[in-house]
Amino acid sequence: MEQYAIKGGNPLVGEVEIGGAKNAALGVLAAAIMTDDMNIVDNLPDVRDINVLLQAMESIGVVVQRTDRHTVKINASMISGLVIENEYIKKIRASYYLLGALLGKYKHAEVALPGGCNIGSRKIDLHIKGFKALGATVKIEHGLIIADAKELKGAHIYMDTVSVGATINIMLASALAEGKTVIENAAKEPHVVDVANFLNSMGANIKGAGTDVIRITGVKRLNGSEYSIIPDQIEAGTFMFGAAITRGDVTVKNVIPKHLESTTAKLIEMGCQIEESDDAVRVVASRRPECTHVKTLPYPGFPTDMQPQISVTLALANGTSIVTESIFDNRFKYVDELAKMGSNIKVEGNTAIIEGVDKLTSADLTAPDLRAGAALVLACLTAEGFSTVDDIKYIERGYEDFDVKLRGLGAHIEKVESERELMKFKLKIG
Ligand code: EPZ
């Protein structure tokens, strides 16, 4: 029954260090097994998704040595198997990056069909389309995706939908293929660029990452490298909306402001003051947020992973806002939870019409998925009185020390594992 106990009402004030980007690290770690040399990866976030992927890698014989909380040494010279069991893939969707990495390196891979946050259909048809275009046969048997190729040859691949996962997986599978691969309509997220930069640091030849056309020229082998993961723009944005929703003053440190542009733009529209420096962004929210309209889009548009965070903030805004979710088809599940706090949101298809209310009241909530869980915590920070958020395992998939960092900003929040601990928290805070 691990949950967050929260007493709301305090504005978030202060500085918070942002960790490495989970969604970049997942692709980088998969890429790291494509050489028999040693790789060192640092600025890894210590979160469940990363630790589960490392366990999946160890399950096939990759030697993983954690030299400190945020650094691992990876040696994939003794891989003994090419089958990633269901126990790992059902915990995290991104285990499917091992499909592209193992196929690219060994021309064979078997990975259980992926799951992932229940935010809508999580298809993998574009991944499979890419592998087939490179010359692999791909079949699905007994819940496993089995990819096999005599050889992999570069191909011209057009992505019907912009897909972060498929773009990364095709980069992995084509890095050692013969000849040139072009990915059209590629995803441009910073984490796609980070994986491409890491592969290039290993000796790959990838150009155009960050644009919608990525060109990969296959190389004979990849070498070991030392690499540091980029900061997590979604973790940073979550704390920035934390400042906005609690009318606080928060500086997120160790960030790349350019990666936060769409978030910053919306916060300014909502009435926040923003100060940017080379590696930090300060958000000052001295009054009630203003309403706005937002539509989630692939990067550099407003990120779908920030949609719950802006929506809970707009639930307290002046006026009516409209939030359109264009990436996933079921990413408003948290609205029912938020209604328990007195919000006034109507969801019609992939659009939420948000009537701002003066305040939210404390309640006992359950996190439906990773980003929605974090957003519900932000909502509880504004509500006078005691709230709880249950199922925080979702939140811990993508946020390292979320409660610790929020306490550092003045929030009354603690992880509790029993009714007794919850009572102790209430008595302590009073
Ligand atoms: C990645 O998921 C992220 N996860 C997600 O973050 C993020 O929301 C998403 O990209 C969009 O930015 C990781 O990086 C581990 P997609 P991914 O493929 O790769 C459709 C978080 O909170 N699609 O870009 O699975 C798909 O259904 C998580 O950290 C196909 O149709 O997302 C969706 O509508 C949640 N066929 C759209 O593309 C495919 O083969 C975008 O999905 C693949 C995807």
Side-chain angles (χ1 to χ4, degrees):
M1 165 264 190
E2 214 176 31
Q3 57 183 208
Y4 287 138
I6 297 161
K7 183 178 182 194
N10 286 13
L12 294 181
V13 177
E15 298 184 343
V16 58
E17 282 288 332
I18 298 303
K22 163 181 87 84
N23 293 345
L26 291 164
V28 164
L29 290 173
I33 70 170
M34 295 185 73
T35 173
D36 287 346
D37 298 349
M38 171 78 76
N39 269 303
I40 300 175
V41 179
D42 76 14
N43 202 33
L44 274 181
D46 181 13
V47 296
R48 280 183 64 235
D49 273 14
I50 296 299
N51 298 329
V52 169
L53 183 66
L54 290 171
Q55 288 161 7
M57 290 160 63
E58 287 178 310
S59 76
I60 57 171
V62 177
V63 177
V64 175
Q65 187 195 347
R66 198 182 278 270
T67 51
D68 69 41
R69 186 178 184 190
H70 300 121
T71 308
V72 286
K73 282 184 179 172
I74 306 262
N75 185 315
S77 58
M78 283 89 74
I79 282 182
S80 52
L82 301 178
V83 181
I84 303 297
E85 292 302 332
N86 187 33
E87 68 172 292
Y88 301 108
I89 193 88
K90 78 181 176 196
K91 284 181 188 160
I92 61 161
R93 173 180 176 79
S95 298
Y96 62 19
Y97 287 146
L98 296 176
L99 195 60
L102 292 170
L103 178 67
K105 184 179 182 184
Y106 299 106
K107 311 291 182 290
H108 185 86
E110 298 180 25
V111 174
L113 275 164
C117 269
N118 47 351
I119 53 179
S121 67
R122 307 298 296 272
K123 296 182 285 188
I124 55 163
D125 56 315
L126 296 174
H127 300 241
I128 292 172
K129 172 182 176 177
F131 297 151
K132 284 182 172 172
L134 293 168
T137 56
V138 183
K139 53 189 182 193
I140 294 179
E141 283 175 359
H142 313 299
L144 282 175
I145 311 165
I146 301 165
D148 192 71
K150 284 192 183 46
E151 58 177 355
L152 291 171
K153 279 192 167 222
H156 199 119
I157 303 163
Y158 181 78
M159 310 300 284
D160 313 68
T161 311
V162 173
S163 162
V164 167
T167 301
I168 289 176
N169 237 342
I170 295 167
M171 277 200 306
L172 295 170
S174 61
L176 293 167
E178 207 182 298
K180 286 187 186 310
T181 295
V182 177
I183 306 174
E184 298 260 13
N185 198 24
K188 300 184 271 194
E189 272 69 6
H191 31 294
V192 172
V193 177
D194 214 27
V195 176
N197 289 343
F198 174 61
L199 282 165
N200 284 337
S201 78
M202 293 169 75
N205 181 344
I206 300 176
K207 294 186 171 42
T211 73
D212 40 22
V213 182
I214 300 178
R215 298 175 195 286
I216 302 110
T217 304
V219 294
K220 286 270 176 274
R221 70 184 301 275
L222 294 171
N223 315 301
S225 170
E226 285 200 33
Y227 198 75
S228 193
I229 303 291
I230 53 167
D232 192 320
Q233 84 258 30
I234 305 300
E235 184 193 16
T238 303
F239 285 105
M240 291 163 72
F241 277 105
I245 197 172
T246 61
R247 302 188 198 179
D249 177 350
V250 172
T251 300
V252 289
K253 299 181 72 177
N254 182 33
V255 296
I256 300 172
K258 173 133 188 69
H259 292 168
L260 296 165
E261 276 178 348
S262 60
T263 294
T264 305
K266 279 299 164 192
L267 285 167
I268 291 169
E269 260 179 58
M270 292 163 67
C272 296
Q273 287 83 46
I274 299 282
E275 287 168 28
E276 278 185 14
S277 61
D278 289 351
D279 62 355
V281 176
R282 182 182 178 195
V283 180
V284 183
S286 45
R287 56 187 169 78
R288 182 177 184 181
E290 294 303 325
C291 59
T292 185
H293 295 345
V294 63
K295 178 176 183 180
T296 64
L297 288 167
Y299 190 87
F302 190 85
T304 174
D305 291 349
M306 210 72 75
Q307 180 261 94
Q309 297 90 318
I310 193 170
S311 297
V312 299
T313 307
L314 292 170
L316 284 167
N318 237 335
T320 302
S321 304
I322 297 192
V323 176
T324 304
E325 171 56 62
S326 76
I327 308 291
F328 290 107
D329 49 21
N330 186 13
R331 200 164 197 173
F332 285 117
K333 280 190 308 308
Y334 61 89
V335 168
D336 291 341
E337 290 298 300
L338 206 59
K340 296 175 185 171
M341 304 181 82
S343 63
N344 183 351
I345 302 177
K346 198 163 175 308
V347 176
E348 286 178 5
N350 67 346
T351 299
I353 298 132
I354 304 175
E355 303 281 349
V357 295
D358 295 340
K359 66 182 178 62
L360 294 172
T361 56
S362 59
D364 295 324
L365 309 176
T366 299
D369 60 68
L370 164 54
R371 305 302 174 184
L376 290 174
V377 169
L378 300 186
C380 292
L381 292 174
T382 71
E384 300 285 340
F386 288 98
S387 300
T388 58
V389 177
D390 211 345
D391 271 358
I392 60 172
K393 64 180 183 304
Y394 285 114
I395 301 174
E396 293 182 331
R397 289 187 50 181
Y399 290 90
E400 179 185 308
D401 293 344
F402 194 45
D403 54 326
V404 176
K405 292 186 176 184
L406 286 169
R407 271 201 302 278
L409 294 170
H412 289 313
I413 177 172
E414 267 184 36
K415 207 186 295 188
V416 295
E417 300 191 359
S418 66
E419 281 304 320
R420 189 166 165 279
E421 286 186 11
L422 180 56
M423 287 316 294
K424 273 172 67 180
F425 172 76
K426 290 183 175 178
L427 289 171
K428 182 169 71 174
I429 302 294

